[in-house]
């Protein structure tokens, strides 16, 4: 890792502070940017996320997708953690902390809302940002794409029933247009652009130039887009964050436990099953992160913009990037725990 990447956590903290400051000092500008959206999908953030994941899409050799089925264990681990463990463990942790341990500080009404927000967050596995985390751990791009695609397909049919079950709500309206627009913007468009440009550039300049020169030059673009995304997100949410500092800390505690529990479970299962590191690392990151755009939009549509449930999903955004960077760092430091790829045969 270069100097900039080595201290990425510091740049993340500075960008969070800058975003909150911009939100306070330039409310008109931030308000205008926040209104540039289609069905709760903010377009400036969508463009930045596109810039983050486009280099990852360029790395995908679509011929390699045919071989993904030969190593199904990593995919099984991800689906198990995301859909059979994560929502239910979050519901338990939320119940424990918000209905019991923190009940005297937040009261029963806010406890119910914070519990609802964290459940909504856990029921929406991450989509776009996973490509960035996989990129930082040298994850297998073909497996990452398949893992994310399967999660998206399951989310279309399982998100609402899981939320209904865990919230005990008999009637719920899930903003499926948010989910579909997000999949289109964050997966389909950059995937098509990456596939087309990869084929054209490899044909024009050759594979060595493409892999050794172009991809190396594009890696800083992903990181800079990530930092710019943080500035925007925290500019949009600065007033909410500053007005609820104590409760944000309380909400963050079970969320942090949840992230490290799920990432550790997925990573540990992958190691036990002798899954290659390039598959295990993205699997741990997918198991830990959340599709916060969908979660925030769902909480707003169900409980309102100023509700405790919406605040809980915003806290998910607050802890997501610094925590995921720590999981990336752990995965990179423990690469030797996993089977090493076989060397290429001599010509």
């Amino acid at each position: 890792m270069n100097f900039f990447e080595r201290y990425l956590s510091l740049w993340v903290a500075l960008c969070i502070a800058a975003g909150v400051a911009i939100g306070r000092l330039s409310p008109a500008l931030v308000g205008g940017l926040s209104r540039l959206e289609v069905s709760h999908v903010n377009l400036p953030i969508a463009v930045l996320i596109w810039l983050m994941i486009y280099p990852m899409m360029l790395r995908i050799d679509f011929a390699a997708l045919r071989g993904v089925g030969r190593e199904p264990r990593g995919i099984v681990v991800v689906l198990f953690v995301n859909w059979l463990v994560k929502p239910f463990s979050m519901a338990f942790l939320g119940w424990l902390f918000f209905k019991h341990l923190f009940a005297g500080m937040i009261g029963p009404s806010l406890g119910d809302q914070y519990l609802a927000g964290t459940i909504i967050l856990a029921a929406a596995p991450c989509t776009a940002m996973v490509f960035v985390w996989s990129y930082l751990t040298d994850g297998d791009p073909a497996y990452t794409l398949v893992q994310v695609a399967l999660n998206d397909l399951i989310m279309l049919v399982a998100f609402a029933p899981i939320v209904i079950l865990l919230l005990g709500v008999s009637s719920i309206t899930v903003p499926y247009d948010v989910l579909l627009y997000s999949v289109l913007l964050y997966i389909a468009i950059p995937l098509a652009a990456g596939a087309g440009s990869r084929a054209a550039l490899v044909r024009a300049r050759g594979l060595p130039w493409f892999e050794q020169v172009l991809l190396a030059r594009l890696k800083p673009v992903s990181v800079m887009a990530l930092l710019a995304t943080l500035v925007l997100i925290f500019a949009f949410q600065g007033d909410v964050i500053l007005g609820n500092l104590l409760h944000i800390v309380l909400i963050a505690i079970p969320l942090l436990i949840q992230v490290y529990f799920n990432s550790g479970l997925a990573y540990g299962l992958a190691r036990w099953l002798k899954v290659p590191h390039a598959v295990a690392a993205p699997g741990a990151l997918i198991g830990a992160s959340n599709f916060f755009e969908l979660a925030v939009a769902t909480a707003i549509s169900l409980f309102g913009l100023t509700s405790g449930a919406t605040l809980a999903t915003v806290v998910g955004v607050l802890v997501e990037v610094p925590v995921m960077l720590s999981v990336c760092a752990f995965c990179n430091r423990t690469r030797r725990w996993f089977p090493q790829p076989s060397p290429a045969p001599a010509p």
Side-chain angles (χ1 to χ4, degrees):
M1 299 177 71
N2 59 35
F3 173 83
F4 186 78
E5 293 172 342
R6 188 175 298 116
Y7 294 99
L8 189 55
S9 295
L10 174 61
W11 315 137
V12 165
L14 292 175
C15 286
I16 290 173
V20 173
I22 291 170
R24 300 284 290 180
L25 297 174
S26 303
L29 172 63
V30 172
L33 291 173
S34 68
R35 288 189 291 273
L36 295 174
E37 62 178 33
V38 175
S39 185
H40 298 292
V41 177
N42 184 265
L43 296 181
I45 288 180
V47 170
L48 289 171
I49 291 179
W50 193 91
L51 289 173
M52 277 190 277
I53 65 178
Y54 174 68
M56 179 73 178
M57 295 303 189
L58 281 174
R59 295 178 64 204
I60 297 175
D61 178 3
F62 284 85
L65 288 175
R66 294 193 296 267
V68 167
R70 292 195 295 267
E71 181 59 78
R73 293 169 295 177
I75 294 174
V76 171
V77 168
V78 168
L79 296 181
F80 170 73
V81 171
N82 269 242
W83 297 106
L84 296 180
V85 176
K86 186 177 179 181
F88 303 96
S89 61
M90 186 71 258
F92 169 74
L93 289 171
W95 169 81
L96 176 64
F97 281 90
F98 300 134
K99 302 297 290 181
H100 295 278
L101 299 180
F102 298 158
M105 290 182 279
I106 61 177
S109 178
L110 277 179
D112 288 339
Q113 292 188 47
Y114 293 162
L115 174 60
T118 54
I119 287 173
I120 292 170
L121 195 65
C126 189
T127 296
M129 295 293 284
V130 166
F131 292 106
V132 183
W133 312 136
S134 178
Y135 200 21
L136 293 175
T137 58
D138 292 325
D140 185 316
Y143 268 95
T144 304
L145 174 63
V146 171
Q147 289 167 328
V148 169
L150 285 173
N151 264 333
D152 286 341
L153 291 174
I154 294 172
M155 194 161 20
L156 287 170
V157 297
F159 177 76
I162 287 175
V163 173
I164 291 169
L165 172 66
L166 294 178
L167 293 186
V169 178
S170 59
S171 178
I172 184 172
T173 301
V174 175
Y176 282 107
D177 53 343
V178 178
L179 180 57
L180 293 173
Y181 275 123
S182 296
V183 170
L184 176 67
L185 286 171
Y186 303 148
I187 304 297
I189 292 176
L191 178 61
S197 51
R198 177 188 174 96
L201 290 167
V202 169
R203 187 166 52 249
R205 302 293 297 271
L207 187 60
W209 175 87
F210 179 82
E211 292 183 339
Q212 299 167 23
V213 178
L214 181 65
L215 292 183
R217 289 176 179 173
L218 284 178
K219 191 169 185 178
V221 173
S222 292
V223 178
M224 295 305 295
L226 168 63
L227 297 178
T229 302
L230 289 177
V231 172
L232 270 186
I233 289 174
F234 287 95
F236 295 161
Q237 302 292 342
D239 287 338
V240 174
I241 293 168
L242 293 176
N244 298 274
L245 290 177
L246 174 60
H247 283 207
I248 283 171
V249 172
L250 297 179
I251 295 168
I253 291 172
L255 289 179
L256 290 172
I257 295 172
Q258 163 82 350
V259 167
Y260 288 123
F261 169 74
N262 283 291
S263 60
L265 176 62
Y267 203 56
L269 287 173
R271 185 188 181 196
W272 178 57
L273 293 171
K274 296 181 170 58
V275 173
H277 185 268
V279 176
L285 298 162
I286 294 171
S289 53
N290 301 297
F291 190 173
F292 54 78
E293 298 91 349
L294 176 63
V296 172
T298 302
I300 290 172
S301 68
L302 290 176
F303 300 101
L305 182 62
T306 60
S307 67
T310 300
L311 177 62
T313 60
V314 171
V315 176
V317 182
L318 179 66
V319 303
E320 172 99 359
V321 174
V323 171
M324 294 310 298
L325 286 173
S326 72
V327 177
C328 286
F330 180 80
C331 291
N332 285 332
R333 286 196 300 267
T334 56
R335 194 179 304 271
R336 66 186 183 280
W337 290 1
F338 292 80
Q340 299 302 307
S342 302

